[in-house]
Amino acid sequence: MTPRKAILAAVCIIMVVCCCAGESRPDLIRSAKNITSEDQVGEWLTYYYLHPRPDLLISALRLMSKDEWFKKGDGQTPVSAFLAQVFLANPDRLGGWASDIASDPEDEKSAMTVALWMANDETCRQTLATVAKGGGPGFQEKVRVFSAKQPPNLLKDEITSPQFLDALWASFFATGDERYVWRLISALPMVDTKGDVSKMLIGGAAQWSLTSNAIQHGRVMEICEAQLNTLPDDQKPALKKVIDSAREKRK
């Protein structure tokens, strides 16, 4: 696979999360009691930080399971990162959510257990153990193995894959926290790493996704514009390219 094709492949992974083109359409879920369509789950995931609806979590998870999101390559990674942020913001709902999915398919439970592991606080760890007990022996062993590892720290760990970028975007969509966008901006210089296809791939994916989301999300554009003034001179051209491209496409 050529570097360019590899970068395009990474872009396809990020599109798992960036699935709702255009501006937010809150009317899709404003009065919804459950999520029943792909458009609704796209709005819920992509613009959660603008209009959070934690009450729709279980129906969203069930629709994604039904549509086999968690069987499509790395589809579980961004969803679990997103859910981790929702869990941290709603600890009082965790017990109810664990009960709700007790009899649901194991792919749902898997996405939820990974999210609880990524959230990495005491309430989430207790809930993870509860959800794990609801699966078969194979599922319980799988949870035991990954939960014994240290979960990623998205704000501090080295960015080593496009999947890490997916997790950053998912965390931003859940919270609107500018720090996740800062980390994506920090990956831009990698696109010019000569002779290192892996880093070029990450940098290219960061560049594409920042441009795409600066078009789609006013807050991303604002964060990029504010961050441009804080960067060293040698790092400004890459971000300026993103901003200029997004401005042109927003016209």
Side-chain angles (χ1 to χ4, degrees), residues 10-139:
V11 166
C12 290
I13 294 172
I14 292 172
M15 283 300 291
V16 171
V17 179
C18 304
C19 57
C20 186
E23 296 180 355
S24 173
R25 296 171 58 195
D27 55 294
L28 285 171
I29 60 173
R30 180 176 291 117
S31 59
K33 294 183 178 180
N34 291 290
I35 284 180
T36 58
S37 72
E38 187 173 312
D39 284 345
Q40 286 180 312
V41 80
E43 176 69 22
W44 185 76
L45 281 171
T46 313
Y47 293 102
Y48 186 93
Y49 71 97
L50 291 178
H51 38 257
R53 289 287 306 276
D55 56 299
L56 296 177
L57 184 144
I58 294 298
S59 61
L61 201 58
R62 286 172 174 163
L63 182 69
M64 286 186 274
S65 174
K66 179 182 176 182
D67 289 349
E68 300 187 340
W69 278 48
F70 309 129
K71 297 178 182 178
K72 299 173 182 176
D74 292 280
Q76 187 183 97
T77 300
V79 173
S80 292
F82 175 94
L83 293 175
Q85 297 297 331
V86 178
F87 292 160
L88 287 170
N90 296 275
D92 57 316
R93 293 177 178 261
L94 288 176
W97 285 333
S99 297
D100 286 341
I101 70 163
S103 59
D104 285 7
E106 285 194 351
D107 66 331
E108 280 182 48
K109 292 188 178 77
S110 180
M112 188 167 183
T113 54
V114 172
L116 290 164
W117 169 70
M118 292 179 74
N120 195 31
D121 77 348
E122 184 58 34
T123 303
C124 288
R125 285 190 287 271
Q126 292 174 1
T127 308
L128 188 157
T130 299
V131 176
K133 289 178 183 177
F139 177 75

Side-chain angles (χ1 to χ4, degrees), residues 2 39-40 77 150 174 202 236:
T2 66
D39 284 345
Q40 286 180 312
T77 300
Q150 182 67 26
I202 295 168
K236 288 182 178 180

Side-chain angles (χ1 to χ4, degrees), residues 3 13 27 42 76 92 134 137 140 166 174 183 188 197 200 205 207 217 244:
I13 294 172
D27 55 294
Q76 187 183 97
D92 57 316
Q140 292 182 33
D166 292 341
R183 294 235 64 200
L188 286 174
V197 173
M200 289 174 64
Q207 182 182 72
H217 296 259
D244 290 346

